């Protein structure tokens, strides 16, 4: 049986010690496709945040725990579209130009899942980008 990899999106706000976690596959309250994945990710991000804050001498932040916010986001209907969902999340987050992501995601982007047109839009943008690099 082939190994399946899963894409998630973590948006890190180092100045506010906050990590926004978007997982399009997991809807049942658990985080990550396996419970140990999130703990590994948390360890890596927490270490990086500690180093970032130490390098910048943000001593007041060093005493705070990192706040992890699981964002309720559109859920993929299968186990293969996670990459498209992550790219769509990035596009929507950037287009909103906000400094925080609402826990219920953006009101104008609240879909239970993306339709084929929304997925195709991501694919078209990706192809255009790749072709410009050639």
């Amino acid at each position: 049986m082939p190994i399946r990899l899963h894409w998630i999106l973590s948006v890190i706000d180092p100045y506010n010690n906050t990590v926004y976690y978007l997982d399009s596959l997991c809807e049942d309250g658990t985080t990550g496709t396996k419970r140990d994945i999130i703990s590994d990710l948390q360890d890596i991000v927490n270490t990086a945040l500690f180093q970032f804050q130490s390098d910048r001498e943000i001593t007041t932040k060093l005493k705070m725990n990192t706040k992890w916010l699981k964002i309720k986001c559109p859920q993929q209907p299968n186990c293969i579209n996670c990459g498209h969902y992550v790219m769509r999340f990035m596009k929507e987050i950037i287009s909103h130009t906000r400094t925080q992501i609402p826990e219920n995601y953006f009101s104008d982007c609240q879909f239970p899942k993306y339709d084929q047109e929304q997925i195709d839009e991501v694919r078209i943008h990706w192809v255009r980008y790749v072709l410009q690099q050639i």
Side-chain angles (χ1 to χ4, degrees):
M1 183 171 190
I3 296 174
R4 292 192 180 193
L5 302 176
H6 176 59
W7 290 28
I8 57 102
L9 179 63
S10 295
V11 180
I12 304 168
D13 178 354
Y15 293 101
N16 290 311
N17 216 21
T18 303
V19 178
Y20 301 94
Y21 183 86
L22 293 90
D23 186 346
S24 63
L25 187 59
C26 186
E27 193 174 79
D28 63 359
T30 61
T31 309
T33 54
K34 292 184 180 176
R35 291 186 186 271
D36 61 335
I37 291 174
I38 186 62
S39 63
D40 290 345
L41 178 63
Q42 285 176 326
D43 291 344
I44 293 166
V45 170
N46 289 339
T47 300
L49 280 171
F50 183 83
Q51 187 63 48
F52 172 85
Q53 293 162 350
S54 295
D55 290 348
R56 283 153 186 78
E57 298 176 357
I58 307 173
T59 55
T60 57
K61 300 283 185 180
L62 293 175
K63 297 176 184 169
M64 297 171 52
N65 288 332
T66 302
K67 183 176 182 180
W68 285 75
L69 297 175
K70 184 169 185 330
I71 305 301
K72 185 179 179 186
C73 55
Q75 298 293 293
Q76 63 191 72
N78 55 40
C79 61
I80 57 171
N81 282 349
C82 55
H84 297 109
Y85 271 67
V86 166
M87 289 188 279
R88 181 79 191 198
F89 296 156
M90 289 189 290
K91 180 180 186 236
E92 290 172 352
I93 290 166
I94 292 167
S95 70
H96 278 84
T97 63
R98 293 176 54 180
T99 57
Q100 295 181 334
I101 303 170
E103 287 190 51
N104 282 328
Y105 206 49
F106 301 104
S107 60
D108 60 330
C109 300
Q110 288 184 352
F111 309 100
K113 64 179 184 164
Y114 293 126
D115 61 28
Q116 192 60 48
E117 185 177 326
Q118 291 166 309
I119 296 296
D120 288 345
E121 183 181 335
V122 170
R123 289 178 175 148
I124 290 167
H125 283 271
W126 176 246
V127 168
R128 284 182 184 153
Y129 174 78
V130 170
L131 290 176
Q132 287 176 352
Q133 303 307 310
I134 296 178

